[in-house]
Short mmCIF file of all heavy atoms in Angstrom, two decimals:
data_model
loop_
_atom_site.label_atom_id
_atom_site.label_comp_id
_atom_site.label_asym_id
_atom_site.label_seq_id
_atom_site.Cartn_x
_atom_site.Cartn_y
_atom_site.Cartn_z
N GLY P 153 102.47 -112.67 8.43
CA GLY P 153 102.17 -113.30 9.64
C GLY P 153 103.23 -113.27 10.66
O GLY P 153 103.20 -113.96 11.64
N ALA P 154 104.27 -112.35 10.45
CA ALA P 154 105.36 -112.32 11.40
C ALA P 154 104.80 -111.63 12.63
O ALA P 154 104.07 -110.68 12.64
CB ALA P 154 106.51 -111.41 10.81
N ALA P 155 105.13 -112.22 13.81
CA ALA P 155 104.72 -111.72 15.07
C ALA P 155 105.30 -110.32 15.37
O ALA P 155 106.43 -110.13 15.01
CB ALA P 155 105.09 -112.62 16.21
N PRO P 156 104.55 -109.35 15.90
CA PRO P 156 105.11 -108.01 16.13
C PRO P 156 106.21 -108.07 17.09
O PRO P 156 107.05 -107.13 17.12
CB PRO P 156 103.91 -107.26 16.70
CG PRO P 156 102.88 -108.20 17.00
CD PRO P 156 103.10 -109.47 16.24
N ASP P 157 106.34 -109.03 17.94
CA ASP P 157 107.43 -109.12 18.94
C ASP P 157 108.61 -110.02 18.46
O ASP P 157 109.48 -110.35 19.21
CB ASP P 157 106.96 -109.52 20.35
CG ASP P 157 106.36 -110.98 20.36
OD1 ASP P 157 106.09 -111.55 19.21
OD2 ASP P 157 106.09 -111.46 21.40
N SER P 158 108.48 -110.41 17.17
CA SER P 158 109.59 -111.19 16.62
C SER P 158 110.80 -110.28 16.42
O SER P 158 110.67 -109.00 16.24
CB SER P 158 109.31 -111.82 15.25
OG SER P 158 109.01 -110.83 14.27
N ALA P 159 112.05 -110.79 16.38
CA ALA P 159 113.23 -109.91 16.28
C ALA P 159 113.17 -109.14 15.00
O ALA P 159 113.55 -107.96 15.03
CB ALA P 159 114.45 -110.91 16.31
N ALA P 160 112.81 -109.71 13.89
CA ALA P 160 112.78 -108.95 12.59
C ALA P 160 111.75 -107.74 12.65
O ALA P 160 112.14 -106.70 12.18
CB ALA P 160 112.34 -109.94 11.48
N VAL P 161 110.67 -107.96 13.22
CA VAL P 161 109.65 -106.85 13.25
C VAL P 161 110.06 -105.85 14.31
O VAL P 161 109.90 -104.62 14.09
CB VAL P 161 108.22 -107.39 13.48
CG1 VAL P 161 107.22 -106.26 13.57
CG2 VAL P 161 107.88 -108.38 12.40
N MET P 162 110.65 -106.24 15.49
CA MET P 162 111.18 -105.31 16.44
C MET P 162 112.29 -104.48 15.82
O MET P 162 112.43 -103.26 16.06
CB MET P 162 111.64 -106.04 17.70
CG MET P 162 110.55 -106.49 18.50
SD MET P 162 111.04 -107.17 20.27
CE MET P 162 111.92 -108.52 19.78
N ASP P 163 113.13 -105.07 14.91
CA ASP P 163 114.11 -104.32 14.22
C ASP P 163 113.54 -103.29 13.29
O ASP P 163 114.04 -102.19 13.22
CB ASP P 163 115.02 -105.26 13.40
CG ASP P 163 115.97 -106.18 14.26
OD1 ASP P 163 116.10 -105.87 15.45
OD2 ASP P 163 116.50 -107.10 13.69
N LEU P 164 112.37 -103.57 12.68
CA LEU P 164 111.65 -102.54 11.89
C LEU P 164 111.16 -101.51 12.78
O LEU P 164 111.22 -100.28 12.37
CB LEU P 164 110.52 -103.22 11.11
CG LEU P 164 110.88 -104.19 9.96
CD1 LEU P 164 109.64 -104.86 9.40
CD2 LEU P 164 111.62 -103.44 8.87
N ALA P 165 110.69 -101.81 13.97
CA ALA P 165 110.24 -100.77 14.87
C ALA P 165 111.42 -99.88 15.33
O ALA P 165 111.24 -98.62 15.45
CB ALA P 165 109.56 -101.41 16.15
N GLU P 166 112.58 -100.52 15.52
CA GLU P 166 113.78 -99.78 15.83
C GLU P 166 114.13 -98.76 14.60
O GLU P 166 114.58 -97.69 14.82
CB GLU P 166 115.00 -100.71 16.18
CG GLU P 166 116.19 -100.03 16.55
CD GLU P 166 116.12 -99.06 17.81
OE1 GLU P 166 115.19 -99.33 18.69
OE2 GLU P 166 116.97 -98.19 18.07
N GLU P 167 114.03 -99.31 13.40
CA GLU P 167 114.23 -98.48 12.22
C GLU P 167 113.29 -97.24 12.22
O GLU P 167 113.65 -96.19 11.86
CB GLU P 167 114.12 -99.30 10.96
CG GLU P 167 115.28 -100.15 10.61
CD GLU P 167 115.16 -100.75 9.23
OE1 GLU P 167 114.83 -100.05 8.27
OE2 GLU P 167 115.26 -102.04 9.08
N HIS P 168 112.06 -97.55 12.62
CA HIS P 168 111.07 -96.46 12.72
C HIS P 168 111.47 -95.41 13.66
O HIS P 168 111.42 -94.20 13.33
CB HIS P 168 109.70 -97.06 13.11
CG HIS P 168 108.57 -96.19 13.15
ND1 HIS P 168 108.19 -95.51 14.36
CD2 HIS P 168 107.67 -95.69 12.18
CE1 HIS P 168 107.17 -94.74 14.06
NE2 HIS P 168 106.82 -94.80 12.77
N ARG P 169 111.97 -95.84 14.86
CA ARG P 169 112.36 -94.89 15.84
C ARG P 169 113.67 -94.10 15.30
O ARG P 169 113.67 -92.85 15.49
CB ARG P 169 112.78 -95.58 17.17
CG ARG P 169 112.99 -94.74 18.37
CD ARG P 169 113.45 -95.51 19.58
NE ARG P 169 114.80 -96.06 19.41
CZ ARG P 169 115.86 -95.32 19.62
NH1 ARG P 169 115.80 -94.08 20.06
NH2 ARG P 169 117.10 -95.84 19.50
N GLY P 170 114.51 -94.78 14.61
CA GLY P 170 115.71 -94.20 14.08
C GLY P 170 115.30 -93.18 12.94
O GLY P 170 115.95 -92.05 12.85
N TRP P 171 114.35 -93.53 12.15
CA TRP P 171 113.84 -92.62 11.06
C TRP P 171 113.32 -91.32 11.73
O TRP P 171 113.62 -90.27 11.21
CB TRP P 171 112.79 -93.31 10.27
CG TRP P 171 112.07 -92.56 9.21
CD1 TRP P 171 112.59 -92.21 8.02
CD2 TRP P 171 110.87 -91.84 9.35
NE1 TRP P 171 111.66 -91.40 7.33
CE2 TRP P 171 110.61 -91.25 8.08
CE3 TRP P 171 109.81 -91.77 10.31
CZ2 TRP P 171 109.49 -90.52 7.88
CZ3 TRP P 171 108.70 -91.11 10.08
CH2 TRP P 171 108.52 -90.41 8.87
#
Side-chain angles (χ1 to χ4, degrees):
D157 62 351
S158 67
V161 179
M162 288 189 293
D163 288 347
L164 289 174
E166 181 64 20
E167 281 187 51
H168 182 266
R169 191 182 72 80
W171 176 79

